[in-house]
Amino acid sequence: MHHVAEYQIKNKHIRNYFSVPNPIDIIRKRQFNLLGKFARMDPTRLPRKFLTAWVSHPRRSGGQHYTLRNSYVETLQHILPNIPDNGTIDSWLPLAQNREQWKSLGTEWIKHQQALTIYQYGPHPLLGDGILDHQFVWYLQDIHRRFSMNDGHV
Protein backbone atom coordinates (compact mmCIF):
# COMPACT_ATOMS: atom_id res chain seq x y z
CA MET A 1 0.00 0.00 0.00
CA HIS A 2 2.96 2.36 0.36
CA HIS A 3 3.04 2.61 -3.46
CA VAL A 4 -0.30 4.36 -3.42
CA ALA A 5 1.04 7.15 -1.22
CA GLU A 6 4.50 7.22 -2.79
CA TYR A 7 3.28 7.51 -6.39
CA GLN A 8 0.08 9.39 -5.54
CA ILE A 9 -2.21 6.87 -7.20
CA LYS A 10 -5.81 7.98 -6.88
CA ASN A 11 -9.10 6.26 -7.63
CA LYS A 12 -9.54 8.31 -10.79
CA HIS A 13 -6.22 6.94 -12.12
CA ILE A 14 -7.24 3.34 -11.39
CA ARG A 15 -10.64 3.92 -13.04
CA ASN A 16 -8.91 5.43 -16.08
CA TYR A 17 -6.46 2.56 -16.29
CA PHE A 18 -9.21 -0.06 -16.31
CA SER A 19 -11.73 2.09 -18.22
CA VAL A 20 -14.26 2.03 -15.37
CA PRO A 21 -16.71 4.95 -15.12
CA ASN A 22 -17.17 7.01 -11.97
CA PRO A 23 -19.51 5.15 -9.54
CA ILE A 24 -21.74 8.23 -9.19
CA ASP A 25 -22.18 8.29 -12.97
CA ILE A 26 -23.12 4.60 -12.96
CA ILE A 27 -25.78 5.31 -10.33
CA ARG A 28 -27.09 8.25 -12.38
CA LYS A 29 -27.31 6.13 -15.51
CA ARG A 30 -29.20 3.36 -13.67
CA GLN A 31 -31.55 5.90 -12.13
CA PHE A 32 -32.07 7.41 -15.59
CA ASN A 33 -32.95 3.96 -17.00
CA LEU A 34 -35.37 3.37 -14.11
CA LEU A 35 -37.10 6.71 -14.76
CA GLY A 36 -37.53 5.68 -18.39
CA LYS A 37 -39.03 2.37 -17.33
CA PHE A 38 -41.48 4.14 -14.99
CA ALA A 39 -42.40 6.59 -17.75
CA ARG A 40 -43.28 3.78 -20.16
CA MET A 41 -45.52 2.02 -17.62
CA ASP A 42 -49.28 2.14 -17.79
CA PRO A 43 -50.49 5.27 -15.91
CA THR A 44 -52.60 3.10 -13.60
CA ARG A 45 -49.61 1.18 -12.21
CA LEU A 46 -48.41 2.16 -8.75
CA PRO A 47 -44.76 3.06 -9.61
CA ARG A 48 -45.98 5.39 -12.35
CA LYS A 49 -48.51 6.96 -9.99
CA PHE A 50 -45.75 7.42 -7.43
CA LEU A 51 -43.55 9.13 -10.01
CA THR A 52 -46.27 11.61 -11.00
CA ALA A 53 -47.72 12.19 -7.49
CA TRP A 54 -47.73 15.71 -6.11
CA VAL A 55 -48.52 17.21 -2.71
CA SER A 56 -49.58 20.84 -2.82
CA HIS A 57 -48.62 21.63 0.78
CA PRO A 58 -45.15 23.02 1.48
CA ARG A 59 -42.76 21.09 3.73
CA ARG A 60 -42.44 21.94 7.38
CA SER A 61 -39.51 24.09 8.34
CA GLY A 62 -36.61 21.94 9.46
CA GLY A 63 -37.93 19.08 7.35
CA GLN A 64 -36.18 17.03 4.72
CA HIS A 65 -34.59 19.16 2.02
CA TYR A 66 -33.27 16.57 -0.43
CA THR A 67 -36.03 14.30 -1.70
CA LEU A 68 -36.27 11.44 -4.14
CA ARG A 69 -37.80 13.87 -6.61
CA ASN A 70 -34.81 16.20 -6.24
CA SER A 71 -32.52 13.25 -6.91
CA TYR A 72 -34.48 12.34 -10.06
CA VAL A 73 -34.40 15.93 -11.32
CA GLU A 74 -30.65 16.17 -10.66
CA THR A 75 -30.06 12.95 -12.60
CA LEU A 76 -32.19 14.15 -15.50
CA GLN A 77 -30.37 17.50 -15.58
CA HIS A 78 -26.97 15.78 -15.72
CA ILE A 79 -27.97 13.68 -18.71
CA LEU A 80 -30.45 16.08 -20.36
CA PRO A 81 -29.21 19.62 -19.58
CA ASN A 82 -32.36 21.31 -20.94
CA ILE A 83 -34.57 19.95 -18.13
CA PRO A 84 -35.93 22.86 -16.03
CA ASP A 85 -35.08 23.14 -12.33
CA ASN A 86 -38.59 22.17 -11.29
CA GLY A 87 -38.25 18.97 -13.35
CA THR A 88 -41.76 19.00 -14.75
CA ILE A 89 -42.72 15.63 -16.13
CA ASP A 90 -43.83 17.19 -19.45
CA SER A 91 -40.21 18.16 -20.14
CA TRP A 92 -38.88 14.59 -20.33
CA LEU A 93 -41.78 12.09 -20.37
CA PRO A 94 -42.36 12.22 -24.16
CA LEU A 95 -38.67 11.55 -24.76
CA ALA A 96 -38.73 8.55 -22.40
CA GLN A 97 -41.53 6.86 -24.36
CA ASN A 98 -39.04 5.72 -27.00
CA ARG A 99 -37.10 2.98 -25.17
CA GLU A 100 -34.21 2.70 -27.63
CA GLN A 101 -33.63 6.44 -27.78
CA TRP A 102 -33.79 6.74 -23.97
CA LYS A 103 -31.28 3.89 -23.47
CA SER A 104 -28.91 5.32 -26.07
CA LEU A 105 -29.02 8.75 -24.37
CA GLY A 106 -27.89 7.18 -21.09
CA THR A 107 -25.22 5.04 -22.74
CA GLU A 108 -23.79 7.90 -24.78
CA TRP A 109 -23.76 10.15 -21.72
CA ILE A 110 -21.78 7.71 -19.59
CA LYS A 111 -19.28 7.12 -22.42
CA HIS A 112 -18.89 10.87 -22.75
CA GLN A 113 -18.35 11.24 -18.97
CA GLN A 114 -15.66 8.57 -19.00
CA ALA A 115 -13.89 10.12 -21.98
CA LEU A 116 -14.08 13.55 -20.35
CA THR A 117 -12.45 12.17 -17.18
CA ILE A 118 -9.66 10.58 -19.19
CA TYR A 119 -9.13 13.82 -21.08
CA GLN A 120 -9.07 15.97 -17.93
CA TYR A 121 -6.75 13.82 -15.83
CA GLY A 122 -4.69 12.11 -18.50
CA PRO A 123 -2.53 9.08 -17.91
CA HIS A 124 -0.77 8.51 -14.62
CA PRO A 125 3.05 8.57 -14.83
CA LEU A 126 3.32 5.10 -13.28
CA LEU A 127 0.16 3.47 -14.62
CA GLY A 128 0.34 4.85 -18.15
CA ASP A 129 -2.57 5.05 -20.56
CA GLY A 130 -4.33 1.91 -19.44
CA ILE A 131 -6.65 -0.05 -21.68
CA LEU A 132 -8.40 2.82 -23.39
CA ASP A 133 -10.88 1.39 -25.86
CA HIS A 134 -10.75 2.56 -29.46
CA GLN A 135 -14.40 3.67 -29.14
CA PHE A 136 -13.36 6.49 -26.80
CA VAL A 137 -10.78 7.97 -29.14
CA TRP A 138 -13.36 9.96 -31.11
CA TYR A 139 -14.91 11.19 -27.82
CA LEU A 140 -11.50 12.47 -26.79
CA GLN A 141 -11.05 14.18 -30.13
CA ASP A 142 -14.49 15.77 -29.84
CA ILE A 143 -13.78 17.00 -26.32
CA HIS A 144 -10.43 18.39 -27.40
CA ARG A 145 -12.09 20.22 -30.30
CA ARG A 146 -14.78 21.73 -28.05
CA PHE A 147 -12.22 22.54 -25.35
CA SER A 148 -10.06 24.49 -27.77
CA MET A 149 -13.06 26.28 -29.33
CA ASN A 150 -14.56 27.41 -26.00
CA ASP A 151 -11.53 29.03 -24.35
CA GLY A 152 -10.70 26.08 -22.12
CA HIS A 153 -14.27 25.12 -21.18
CA VAL A 154 -15.88 21.89 -22.34
Side-chain angles (χ1 to χ4, degrees), residues 47-108:
R48 172 74 180 263
K49 285 183 178 182
F50 178 69
L51 179 68
T52 58
W54 180 259
V55 177
S56 59
H57 300 292
R59 293 187 175 274
R60 295 182 193 167
S61 63
Q64 182 180 7
H65 294 287
Y66 195 74
T67 62
L68 185 61
R69 181 178 179 278
N70 295 41
S71 173
Y72 287 161
V73 170
E74 185 179 304
T75 294
L76 288 167
Q77 287 177 333
H78 270 87
I79 298 175
L80 304 170
N82 58 344
I83 299 294
D85 287 340
N86 62 1
T88 57
I89 201 160
D90 317 2
S91 60
W92 60 272
L93 190 69
L95 185 61
Q97 297 304 316
N98 184 339
R99 184 178 188 272
E100 298 306 317
Q101 183 180 10
W102 190 258
K103 288 269 192 189
S104 70
L105 280 170
T107 303
E108 293 299 314

Side-chain angles (χ1 to χ4, degrees), residues 15-16 19-22 24-26 28-30 32 78-79 102-120 132-143 146 154:
R15 285 195 304 267
N16 287 352
S19 295
V20 175
N22 185 340
I24 300 298
D25 292 340
I26 293 172
R28 284 188 180 128
K29 182 182 180 294
R30 289 180 181 174
F32 184 76
H78 270 87
I79 298 175
W102 190 258
K103 288 269 192 189
S104 70
L105 280 170
T107 303
E108 293 299 314
W109 175 80
I110 201 152
K111 286 180 183 178
H112 178 75
Q113 290 299 109
Q114 186 176 3
L116 186 60
T117 302
I118 292 170
Y119 179 75
Q120 284 177 338
L132 182 63
D133 292 340
H134 67 279
Q135 63 184 342
F136 294 118
V137 172
W138 74 271
Y139 285 114
L140 292 173
Q141 291 169 346
D142 179 53
I143 289 169
R146 285 191 285 159
V154 179

